[in-house]
C-alpha cells in the first residue's frame, strides 16, 4: 500500500483500527488505513462552492451529512491551496498576511485610594495660589 502523504511504498502493517488494516509509513511516519475516504472530492468541492455562495457552515454540514468541523477543515484547506497558487503566480512567498488590522484596546489601571478619582487635582498647599475675588461696597 502506498502512503497517501508522500506516496512511498515503504509501509508496514500496524494492526487493525475499527476493523480496517492500519499502516505506518517508514518515510514520513504517518499512520493510515486502507479504508476509502468517507467524502469524495466532488462533495468537498460542493461544500466550498456552497460556502462561497453564502451558505453557513452548519447548513452545509446538514445538507451534505457532514460535521461542521469537517466542512470548515475543507474550506480552510482549499483556502490554503488557493493562497499558494496566487503566491506562485505573483512570485512571492505565501506565508504571512498582506494586511493587518489593528483595533483600539482600552485598559483600566486601578488608582490609589488616596487620590481623587475625578476633577482637577489641587494640592492643599497650593490653595493660596488660587485667584480670589473681593466684594466692596460702594
Amino acid at each position: 500500500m502506498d502512503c497517501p502523504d508522500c506516496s512511498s511504498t515503504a509501509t508496514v502493517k500496524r494492526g487493525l483500527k475499527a476493523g480496517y488494516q492500519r499502516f505506518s509509513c517508514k518515510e514520513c511516519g504517518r499512520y493510515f488505513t486502507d479504508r476509502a475516504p468517507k467524502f469524495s472530492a466532488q462533495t468537498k468541492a460542493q461544500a466550498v462552492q456552497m460556502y462561497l455562495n453564502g451558505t453557513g457552515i452548519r447548513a452545509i454540514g446538514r445538507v451534505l451529512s457532514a460535521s461542521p468541523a469537517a466542512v470548515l477543515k475543507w474550506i480552510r484547506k482549499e483556502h490554503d491551496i488557493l493562497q499558494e497558487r496566487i503566491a506562485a503566480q505573483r512570485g512571492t512567498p505565501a506565508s504571512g498576511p498582506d494586511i493587518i488590522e489593528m483595533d483600539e484596546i482600552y485598559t483600566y489601571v486601578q488608582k490609589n485610594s488616596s487620590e481623587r478619582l475625578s476633577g482637577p487635582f489641587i494640592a492643599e498647599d497650593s490653595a493660596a495660589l488660587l485667584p480670589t475675588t473681593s466684594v466692596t461696597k460702594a
Side-chain angles (χ1 to χ4, degrees), residues 1-80:
M1 177 130 213
D2 293 343
C3 176
D5 260 2
C6 65
S7 301
S8 172
T9 57
T11 58
V12 179
K13 290 183 179 182
R14 295 286 182 182
L16 295 174
K17 182 177 181 181
Y20 293 95
Q21 182 64 50
R22 187 175 184 197
F23 295 93
S24 172
C25 179
K26 287 185 176 181
E27 303 260 337
C28 66
R30 180 174 183 224
Y31 285 89
F32 57 95
T33 61
D34 59 355
R35 185 169 84 183
K38 186 174 181 180
F39 296 99
S40 66
Q42 183 181 5
T43 304
K44 294 176 184 180
Q46 183 181 3
V48 172
Q49 191 64 38
M50 290 172 71
Y51 177 75
L52 291 175
N53 288 328
T55 308
I57 303 291
R58 292 180 66 192
I60 295 170
R62 280 193 299 270
V63 170
L64 300 177
S65 300
S67 70
V71 172
L72 196 56
K73 181 180 172 184
W74 301 337
I75 292 168
R76 286 181 177 161
K77 187 174 183 179
E78 189 66 31
H79 176 263
D80 292 341

Side-chain angles (χ1 to χ4, degrees), residues 15 19 26 37 41 70 79 86 92 95 105 110 114 132 134:
K26 287 185 176 181
H79 176 263
I86 291 171
T92 58
S95 63
I105 188 167
Q110 185 177 5
S114 64
T132 56
S134 61

Side-chain angles (χ1 to χ4, degrees), residues 52-130:
L52 291 175
N53 288 328
T55 308
I57 303 291
R58 292 180 66 192
I60 295 170
R62 280 193 299 270
V63 170
L64 300 177
S65 300
S67 70
V71 172
L72 196 56
K73 181 180 172 184
W74 301 337
I75 292 168
R76 286 181 177 161
K77 187 174 183 179
E78 189 66 31
H79 176 263
D80 292 341
I81 291 169
L82 183 62
Q83 291 298 318
E84 289 175 5
R85 286 182 187 167
I86 291 171
Q89 287 178 352
R90 289 184 185 167
T92 58
S95 63
D98 292 336
I99 299 171
I100 299 174
E101 288 189 34
M102 302 281 293
D103 197 4
E104 299 165 356
I105 188 167
Y106 295 97
T107 57
Y108 174 74
V109 179
Q110 185 177 5
K111 293 188 175 188
N112 202 353
S113 63
S114 64
E115 293 181 19
R116 297 173 93 192
L117 295 179
S118 64
F121 177 72
I122 300 174
E124 292 176 13
D125 58 342
S126 64
L129 300 176
L130 292 175

